Amino acid sequence: MSTHFGGTSRLTYSLATVPAPLATDEPAHIDIVVSNSGTEAVLCKQILVVLPTGDLAQDLVPAGHRVVPTVEPSGQWTVDEIESGVLLTLPQDDMAAFTAGGTPLTVRPVSGESVSLTTHGLLLRLKDFKANGLAGTALLRVRETVSVDNGQTWETNQVTLPVAKYPAVEALTADVVGDLVLREADINGNPGSVPVTLLASGQKAVLTWTAPSDAICDVYFDGRHAGPLAGQEKWQFPVTGLTRDTHFHVQVALKRSGDTITQHLSTAVAVAKPVLEQLTVTQLTAVKITSGGRTNNDGHQLLTIEGAVEVDKESHFYGNVYGGNGTLIVGDAVVAKKSLSAEEQVTVTGSLTAQTVKARDEVLGKKLAVTEKALVGSTNFSGMDNGDLWISGKFSANRADLNTLLGTPDKLTGAFNGTERTAPSHGLLLLWIKTVGHHATRTVYVDINTSGENFETVAAASIDYGNAPDVWGASATVPLRKGQRYKIWQEGEGGTTDAYFFPVLSG
């Protein structure tokens, strides 16, 4: 068996002959196997195989001789010899999709053209011909038309597959060179009797094959090279550390009749739960991705990703989202279209904006504490909107602190002359008294319109300046609804008063 020798391709091509190697002027049979050994899906429009035709040593098929090609799976592919030695293989649909290793995926080309999903590879058989009469090496040329970006762009690649021909008396049969098999290793590292096609990740195995003792062997697999190896007829090559599906290639070189004969052997094995160090997918449409790893507290299996995950577009989660060690960090805004609740503590280092804030126990700010009551004076007056402001405790803060929390207020000039005013929106009316002299008193009042032209005093605050002048003293706080009519007035002397209106609620 031989793998592709020259050139580059997106698909992987392997070749087997009967007999192996071919004998000159004898019946011949060639199988070409096509599959995708990469990590990304490949769309294919056609595969063209050119057989060297003529009577020279580098030719394979005698001049004027035709081959009979067949293809499997025949329900998805067709093959015809469009001219002597030129075989054109086409998918039944507009194109075929060779998916990468692992679970088969649905591939939808951007053009919307129909596509055949090739999950078992492609087998092209060439039979009913005999090799020409001269010993030599013929090069089969394979040209593929493929796409790796889901059909947006197409490329044409070419590889060559070498096929050696020897005089019938010198052709090496499969019992001399061949029988490349991977076998599971026992506890002592010896190969088992049955070939293995599926290994557990990291499981030990032994690669076996036969070759004349004077042959030089080189082994290639998983990016590794071992060799040159010589001096044995029945080889046992230990294999360890496989973490993904792996293709093995053994090159056997022999000296015969003064010439070097090269044989190529290949086999492959799948690895359960493969590990891919790096995977790039242009477009991925998966039916289901599962994990057989550890489970969470709810007994659900977890998909574990070691490292950061970047999502360019929105993500949808229909279960719970947990942060590591009980912490969930969001670098930008968190928007909750319905309710957002916290069973324990909510810490806000920036600003907090809300139409409605409700607290069952405590509301703690940087310089604002709520412990007992929000209002000084009566809170049971007519005409107030129930629930506009809900604070289950004391409202204790300097005006500067309230500016930080509620925004900049409107200062009411000439507010204490009893002039009737109207609240422009829902908000808080806050009155402050500042001491100036000793042992003087000052009292401020807030009257709220109850009905018609009737006003009721709902809040009052007094202060006796005592022996500590120039200190802010008592204050009154009154919630107002939009359109609420009110008056502010005062009694006493010896101090100054300020009135501020905080529009803290919508409307």
Side-chain angles (χ1 to χ4, degrees):
M1 182 174 286
S2 173
T3 56
H4 60 77
F5 178 76
T8 59
S9 65
R10 296 288 185 175
L11 299 174
T12 303
Y13 299 86
S14 297
L15 182 146
T17 65
V18 178
L22 295 181
T24 56
D25 207 27
E26 293 289 337
H29 182 103
I30 296 177
D31 286 345
I32 300 175
V33 180
V34 186
S35 61
N36 181 7
S37 300
T39 59
E40 54 189 350
V42 177
L43 293 180
C44 178
K45 280 189 175 180
Q46 70 173 29
I47 297 174
L48 189 73
V49 179
V50 179
L51 308 176
T53 301
D55 299 319
L56 300 177
Q58 63 267 33
D59 295 324
L60 176 64
V61 181
H65 193 87
R66 300 183 67 87
V67 298
V68 179
T70 60
V71 65
E72 296 178 13
S74 58
Q76 295 182 353
W77 295 85
T78 62
V79 61
D80 293 294
E81 186 178 24
I82 58 176
E83 59 181 85
S84 179
V86 180
L87 309 178
L88 179 62
T89 306
L90 299 172
Q92 293 278 19
D93 292 326
D94 296 311
M95 61 191 73
F98 290 82
T99 60
T103 304
L105 307 177
T106 302
V107 180
R108 298 183 179 89
V110 294
S111 63
E113 297 175 329
S114 57
V115 58
S116 298
L117 188 63
T118 301
T119 58
H120 299 288
L122 169 68
L123 175 59
L124 179 62
R125 297 182 182 274
L126 313 178
K127 55 184 180 180
D128 293 340
F129 76 97
K130 66 177 181 179
N132 73 3
L134 296 180
T137 299
L139 296 180
L140 275 67
R141 290 176 171 81
V142 180
R143 189 174 65 191
E144 62 180 19
T145 302
V146 295
S147 170
V148 293
D149 58 7
N150 215 29
Q152 297 185 56
T153 58
W154 294 87
E155 60 187 59
T156 299
N157 306 309
Q158 180 170 294
V159 296
T160 56
L161 306 176
V163 181
K165 303 169 294 163
Y166 300 96
V169 295
E170 296 184 6
L172 300 174
T173 58
D175 60 342
V176 176
V177 177
D179 194 27
L180 182 65
V181 175
L182 188 69
R183 305 175 188 273
E184 184 178 349
D186 61 18
I187 192 172
N188 297 317
N190 298 317
S193 59
V194 179
V196 62
T197 57
L198 179 66
L199 289 176
S201 181
Q203 183 179 356
K204 295 181 180 180
V206 179
L207 189 67
T208 64
W209 72 95
T210 58
S213 59
D214 59 341
I216 303 298
C217 301
D218 288 274
V219 183
Y220 303 88
F221 68 100
D222 198 22
R224 310 178 216 176
H225 171 226
L229 309 175
Q232 296 185 36
E233 293 185 356
K234 294 184 178 182
W235 286 95
Q236 295 184 6
F237 183 82
V239 176
T240 58
L242 296 183
T243 59
R244 60 181 179 178
D245 298 355
T246 303
H247 178 263
F248 296 90
H249 175 207
V250 177
Q251 176 179 289
V252 182
L254 310 99
K255 290 285 188 178
R256 291 293 183 270
S257 301
D259 296 324
T260 299
I261 303 172
T262 302
Q263 284 284 78
H264 297 270
L265 312 175
S266 66
T267 189
V269 67
V271 174
K273 300 178 181 179
V275 177
L276 301 177
E277 295 181 0
Q278 183 174 357
L279 176 63
T280 301
V281 180
T282 302
Q283 181 172 341
L284 175 64
T285 303
V287 177
K288 190 175 184 181
I289 299 177
T290 59
S291 170
R294 58 192 180 93
T295 59
N296 61 12
N297 294 334
D298 297 325
H300 300 146
Q301 288 187 340
L302 298 177
L303 177 63
T304 302
I305 301 176
E306 294 182 0
V309 177
E310 179 176 322
V311 180
D312 289 335
K313 294 184 172 60
E314 65 273 8
S315 297
H316 299 270
F317 299 93
Y318 297 98
N320 296 329
V321 178
Y322 297 94
N325 298 324
T327 301
L328 178 62
I329 299 176
V330 180
D332 208 334
V334 175
V335 178
K337 294 187 176 180
K338 292 188 178 181
S339 60
L340 179 64
S341 63
E343 295 181 0
E344 295 186 6
Q345 182 178 350
V346 176
T347 301
V348 181
T349 57
S351 61
L352 174 63
T353 304
Q355 291 183 350
T356 302
V357 178
K358 293 184 178 182
R360 295 180 180 178
D361 295 321
E362 290 184 302
V363 176
L364 299 177
K366 193 173 183 180
K367 294 183 180 180
L368 179 65
V370 178
T371 56
E372 292 179 1
K373 242 184 162 183
L375 302 180
V376 178
S378 172
T379 61
N380 183 19
F381 54 89
S382 172
M384 296 299 293
D385 287 344
N386 184 22
D388 284 347
L389 178 67
W390 183 278
I391 300 179
S392 174
K394 188 168 81 175
F395 208 32
S396 174
N398 291 328
R399 181 171 59 81
D401 301 332
L402 292 178
N403 288 359
T404 302
L405 180 68
L406 303 177
T408 302
D410 296 326
K411 184 175 182 179
L412 305 180
T413 59
F416 295 89
N417 57 7
T419 301
E420 181 179 318
R421 298 174 179 269
T422 302
S425 67
H426 296 336
L428 287 179
L429 178 64
L430 289 94
L431 311 180
W432 275 270
I433 306 173
K434 183 179 181 182
T435 63
V436 174
H438 296 275
H439 300 290
T441 60
R442 174 66 66 91
T443 304
V444 294
Y445 302 90
V446 180
D447 294 351
I448 297 296
N449 177 261
T450 56
S451 63
E453 297 304 319
N454 297 323
F455 284 79
E456 175 188 347
T457 299
V458 296
S462 298
I463 189 170
D464 181 341
Y465 300 137
N467 292 317
D470 299 322
V471 176
W472 282 105
S475 65
T477 306
V478 178
L480 297 175
R481 61 175 172 79
K482 181 179 180 180
Q484 180 71 60
R485 295 160 58 195
Y486 66 96
K487 298 178 181 179
I488 308 173
W489 54 285
Q490 59 186 335
E491 293 178 340
E493 59 184 13
T496 60
T497 54
D498 279 337
Y500 298 89
F501 178 76
F502 289 85
V504 298
L505 302 175
S506 64

